[in-house]
């Protein structure tokens, strides 16, 4: 399914390290309908109150349904993000709302998160799973 975003068109079925997208908030319903039509795990995260690593880990743990043993550190994130239960799905999409506050208030955290997501996307590609991060603008 093709979605027209700020960074051009992107396809939820594409398996690639090119997994970070910007989407006009007015198109969120189009994205969600596309996800509903596919076997794609959908999670949402509101970054408005994330101020540091701990805040990001807490929000990600809730949104992506990490196990209770998640250690809330970068190594644990790297492990849990590739252990998400996607056996019933062809991929995953994480929608991030209010992302500008994350980049303003915790730019190092945001950068590390982006790097971790792209690394996980490459690993998921080996299992033929798409793994997308969508920032709403």
């Amino acid at each position: 399914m093709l979605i027209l975003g700020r960074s051009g068109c992107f396809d939820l079925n594409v398996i690639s390290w090119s997994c970070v997208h910007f989407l006009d908030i007015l198109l969120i319903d189009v994205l969600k309908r596309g996800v509903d039509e596919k076997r794609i795990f959908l999670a949402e995260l509101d970054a408005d109150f994330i101020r540091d690593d701990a805040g990001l880990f807490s929000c990600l743990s809730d949104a992506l349904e990490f196990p209770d043993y998640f250690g809330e550190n970068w190594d644990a994130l790297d492990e849990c993000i590739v252990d998400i239960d996607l056996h019933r799905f062809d991929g995953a999409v994480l929608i991030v709302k209010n992302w500008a506050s994350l980049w303003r208030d915790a730019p190092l955290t945001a950068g590390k998160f982006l790097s971790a997501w792209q690394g996980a996307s490459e690993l998921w590609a080996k299992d033929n799973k798409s793994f997308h991060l969508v920032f709403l603008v």
Side-chain angles (χ1 to χ4, degrees):
M1 162 172 196
L2 284 175
I3 303 288
L4 178 61
R6 294 261 171 127
S7 54
C9 289
F10 62 94
D11 188 341
L12 296 178
N13 297 318
V14 170
I15 299 165
S16 167
W17 63 269
S18 180
C19 59
V20 178
H21 314 282
F22 297 91
L23 181 69
D24 190 311
I25 196 164
L26 298 174
L27 297 174
I28 187 66
D29 290 333
V30 174
L31 175 64
K32 287 182 177 181
R33 277 194 306 274
V35 167
D36 286 344
E37 294 169 4
K38 305 286 182 186
R39 294 176 358 146
I40 296 177
F41 174 80
L42 175 67
E44 295 185 51
L45 181 148
D46 187 344
D48 201 28
F49 299 105
I50 297 173
R51 302 286 181 260
D52 54 21
D53 291 357
L56 176 69
F57 297 143
S58 177
C59 288
L60 281 173
S61 179
D62 291 343
L64 297 175
E65 303 172 6
F66 286 168
D68 291 339
Y69 61 80
F70 172 57
E72 297 197 6
N73 60 61
W74 290 107
D75 289 335
L77 175 66
D78 287 340
E79 290 176 17
C80 287
I81 205 167
V82 295
D83 283 341
I84 298 169
D85 185 6
L86 293 181
H87 76 275
R88 297 172 304 165
F89 301 98
D90 293 329
V93 173
L94 175 63
I95 297 171
V96 181
K97 302 173 187 173
N98 300 311
W99 59 273
S101 62
L102 171 63
W103 285 95
R104 180 191 63 235
D105 297 337
L108 294 176
T109 297
K112 287 191 259 182
F113 168 56
L114 195 59
S115 179
W117 190 273
Q118 288 178 309
S121 179
E122 289 183 42
L123 292 174
W124 278 114
K126 293 178 183 176
D127 288 338
N128 207 31
K129 305 276 186 184
S130 63
F131 204 66
H132 296 276
L133 179 62
V134 178
F135 292 107
L136 295 181
V137 293

